[in-house]
C-alpha cells in the first residue's frame, strides 16, 4: 500500500501519542491531531470527544488512514470504559467507513490477553492466535476493539492492524517490562509498517522491540515489514538488582498482564 499522506492520530496528547507525533512525521506523514483536551504547542489540533459522532466524522473526513490511540489506558468502572473505549471506538470505525478511509491502526494491548500465562523455561512464545483473556474492563475493551476491527473488515472491507502493545516508554522501568517493552523508535517503525503493508485485512500483531527476554511471537509484525532495532537487555542488570527476578508463584508475575491481573492501576480522571 502506498504510504498514506494524511493520518489522523487520536489520543495525540497522551504519552504514546506525544511520542508518535514527534517521530512519525519523519516517515513523511502529515498528522491531523485529535484529543479530548488541547495540546500545548499544537493550535490546529482537533479537540473533540469520541462520543460526539458528528465531530468524529468531521475529524475523519479527508484523511488517508487513522492511528487510534485515544481512550482510557488503565482500569476504570465499566461505564467509563464503555463510553470512552467501546462506544468511542465504534464511532471512529463507523465514521471511517462512511468517509471511505482505507485503514485503521488500532492500539490494542497485551491486556486483551492478560490472563494468558507468560512463557517460562522452554515454553513457546505467545502467539497472536492465543484466545482473548482480558485481565480488566480495560483489557475487555481492547478485545472488543480487535473484534470490531475484524467485523469492519469482513462486513465493509475496512482494513485494520491491531497492535497489542506491551509498554512503550523511553526505557523499561520494571523486570516484567524487559519482556514486553517497545522503544518509541520501534513503535514508530511498527506503526509505519502497519500503515503501508499490502493486503492486511485484519491483522493482529504484537507490539514490542526485539527483546532478549521476549514473551511473544513477532512473526505477524515482521510480516508487515517491521524490523525492530532495539532490545531492553541493557537495562536488565539494573532492574533485576533493584526489583529481583519474577516469581512464578506470584499471580502478577505468572501472567502476561502483570499486576493488571491482581491490582490494576486505576484511571485517575
Amino acid at each position: 500500500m502506498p504510504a498514506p499522506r494524511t493520518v489522523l492520530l487520536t489520543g495525540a496528547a497522551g504519552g504514546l501519542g506525544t511520542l508518535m507525533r514527534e517521530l512519525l512525521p519523519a516517515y513523511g506523514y502529515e498528522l491531523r491531531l485529535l484529543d479530548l483536551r488541547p495540546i500545548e504547542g499544537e493550535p490546529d489540533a482537533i479537540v473533540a470527544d469520541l462520543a460526539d459522532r458528528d465531530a468524529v466524522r468531521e475529524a475523519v473526513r479527508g484523511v488517508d488512514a487513522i492511528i487510534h490511540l485515544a481512550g482510557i489506558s488503565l482500569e476504570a468502572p465499566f461505564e467509563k470504559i464503555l463510553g470512552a473505549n467501546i462506544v468511542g471506538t465504534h464511532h471512529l470505525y463507523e465514521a471511517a467507513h462512511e468517509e471511505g478511509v482505507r485503514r485503521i491502526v488500532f492500539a490494542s494491548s497485551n491486556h486483551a490477553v492478560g490472563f494468558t500465562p507468560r512463557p517460562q523455561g522452554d515454553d513457546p512464545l505467545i502467539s497472536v492466535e492465543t484466545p482473548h483473556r482480558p485481565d480488566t474492563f480495560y483489557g475487555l475493551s481492547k478485545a472488543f476493539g480487535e473484534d470490531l476491527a475484524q467485523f469492519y473488515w469482513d462486513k465493509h472491507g475496512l482494513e485494520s492492524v491491531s497492535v497489542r502493545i506491551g509498554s512503550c516508554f523511553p526505557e523499561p522501568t520494571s523486570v516484567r517490562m524487559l519482556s514486553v517493552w517497545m522503544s518509541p523508535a520501534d513503535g514508530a517503525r511498527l506503526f509505519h509498517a502497519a500503515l503501508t503493508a499490502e493486503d492486511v485485512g485484519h491483522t493482529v500483531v504484537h507490539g514490542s522491540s526485539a527483546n532478549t527476554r521476549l514473551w511473544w511471537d513477532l512473526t505477524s509484525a515482521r510480516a508487515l515489514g517491521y524490523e525492530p532495532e532495539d532490545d531492553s537487555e541493557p537495562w536488565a542488570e539494573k532492574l533485576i538488582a533493584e526489583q529481583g527476578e519474577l516469581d512464578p508463584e506470584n499471580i502478577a508475575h505468572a501472567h502476561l498482564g502483570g499486576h493488571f491481573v491482581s491490582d490494576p492501576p486505576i484511571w485517575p480522571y
Side-chain angles (χ1 to χ4, degrees), residues 135-215:
D135 52 27
T136 45
F137 290 133
Y138 164 67
L140 184 67
S141 75
K142 295 303 184 179
F144 169 84
E146 291 185 11
D147 288 343
L148 187 74
Q150 184 67 51
F151 171 74
Y152 271 80
W153 165 243
D154 289 335
K155 184 76 172 179
H156 300 300
L158 172 54
E159 290 190 316
S160 289
V161 177
S162 293
V163 183
R164 287 184 188 159
I165 298 169
S167 300
C168 189
F169 297 101
E171 63 182 63
T173 59
S174 70
V175 174
R176 170 185 173 273
M177 206 181 291
L178 295 171
S179 298
V180 298
W181 177 68
M182 180 168 66
S183 71
D186 278 342
R189 291 182 188 101
L190 179 51
F191 285 132
H192 174 60
L195 287 168
T196 57
E198 298 285 346
D199 302 323
V200 299
H202 174 230
T203 298
V204 178
V205 303
H206 289 138
S208 70
S209 291
N211 301 317
T212 298
R213 299 163 190 263
L214 195 66
W215 285 346

Side-chain angles (χ1 to χ4, degrees), residues 10 14 54 58 60 66 69 74 95 98 107 114 120 129 187:
T10 75
D54 291 338
E58 181 64 26
V60 163
I66 299 167
L69 308 181
L74 303 173
E98 292 168 344
Q120 300 184 47
E129 303 297 332

Side-chain angles (χ1 to χ4, degrees), residues 91-106:
H91 286 172
L92 186 74
Y93 266 85
E94 187 62 16
H97 164 57
E98 292 168 344
E99 292 296 327
V101 177
R102 297 178 59 192
R103 184 170 300 183
I104 296 177
V105 180
F106 169 62

Side-chain angles (χ1 to χ4, degrees), residues 3-4 23-30 184-190 192-193 196 229:
L23 291 168
L24 285 173
Y27 290 87
Y29 300 114
E30 179 181 326
D186 278 342
R189 291 182 188 101
L190 179 51
H192 174 60
T196 57
E229 296 183 8

